Amino acid sequence: MAVTQPTLTALDVMRDAPVIPVIVLHDVRHAVPMARALVAGGIRMLEVTLRTPQALECMRAIAAEVPDAVVGAGTVRTSADAVAAARAGARFAVSPGFTPAVGRACRDAGLPLLPGVATGSEIMTAQEEGLSALKFFPAVQAGGTAMLKAWQGPFGDVAFCPTGGIQPGNAAEFLALKNVACVGGSWLVPADALEQGDWSRITRLAREASALQRV
C-alpha cells in the first residue's frame, strides 16, 4: 500500500529550517548519501535543481531511499518541468521567476511553489495567483536586505526566501528580517565535497545552517 504523504504548503517548506540547500547533482550515486548527510545535520527540505540531465533521476533516488528527506525541484521554468518533477517524487517546486502557467502547472501537479520575484510587479502578479510565500531572486544582486526592508511596508503579508549570493557570512543579516522565513544557498553542498564523498563535511555544514537564528 502506498504511503500518503502529508500535505505541504510553501510556507511549511520555508519554515522547516533556516536554510534550503540549492543542490546541483551531476552523479546519481551522490544523491542518496548527500541527502542522508543533510538530514543528519537537520536539513530536510532539499532543492535539487533541474540544471543537469541527472536531476530527475537523483530526485527519484532520494524520494525512494531517504524517507526523512523532502525532495523538491529547483529551476522549474515550464509546465513540463513541474509535471516531470512531480512524477520523479518532488514534493515542492522552486522557480527562478514566475508565470501564471507555471503556477497553474504546479498547482495541478500538487506541488507547492516558491516562485522567484525581484520586483514589486512580480510580487503582485504572484499574489494575484494566490501565492504569498515567495523566493527573492537573485537576492544580493537585486537589492539585498535594503530591498526586503523596503518591501515590508507595501508587502507586509509576504514571506520571502532570499536566494542568490547568500553565504554563511551574510545569511544571518537576511534571517534577522521579519519578512524572511528562510534563505536559500548552495554552500551546504560544495561541489568538491560531493566529488570526494565527504558526507561528514556536508553534515557539519547542515548542522551549522540549522543553528542559524531567525526572527
Side-chain angles (χ1 to χ4, degrees), residues 85-197:
R87 289 176 177 168
R91 294 183 54 203
F92 65 93
V94 184
S95 59
F98 178 71
T99 68
V102 167
R104 287 191 295 270
C106 287
R107 185 165 56 247
D108 291 345
L111 296 177
L113 173 64
L114 293 178
V117 298
T119 69
S121 295
E122 291 169 355
I123 295 170
M124 291 167 64
T125 299
Q127 287 197 293
E128 285 179 355
E129 296 293 320
L131 303 174
S132 290
L134 310 177
K135 166 182 166 178
F136 176 34
F137 177 81
V140 170
Q141 297 86 340
T145 56
M147 181 68 82
L148 286 162
K149 289 174 183 176
W151 281 343
Q152 285 177 354
F155 301 115
D157 56 341
V158 177
F160 293 99
C161 172
T163 305
I166 310 296
Q167 299 291 338
N170 63 3
E173 182 181 357
F174 283 89
L175 290 167
L177 300 179
K178 65 181 180 180
N179 57 348
V180 171
C182 68
V183 299
S186 59
W187 81 87
L188 278 70
V189 186
D192 59 341
L194 286 173
E195 291 301 321
Q196 296 163 14

Side-chain angles (χ1 to χ4, degrees), residues 17-90:
V19 183
I20 297 175
V22 180
I23 303 163
V24 180
L25 291 169
H26 296 275
D27 190 332
V28 177
R29 294 173 299 177
H30 295 157
V32 168
M34 175 220 63
R36 288 175 175 157
L38 287 167
V39 169
I43 300 293
R44 300 187 312 132
M45 302 292 167
L46 313 183
E47 179 190 340
V48 177
T49 61
L50 294 174
R51 299 180 191 175
T52 69
Q54 298 81 10
L56 291 170
E57 190 175 349
C58 290
M59 289 180 209
R60 289 189 193 96
I62 295 170
E65 300 186 44
V66 192
D68 291 333
V70 180
V71 66
T75 323
V76 172
R77 299 189 302 163
T78 66
S79 299
D81 286 343
V83 172
R87 289 176 177 168

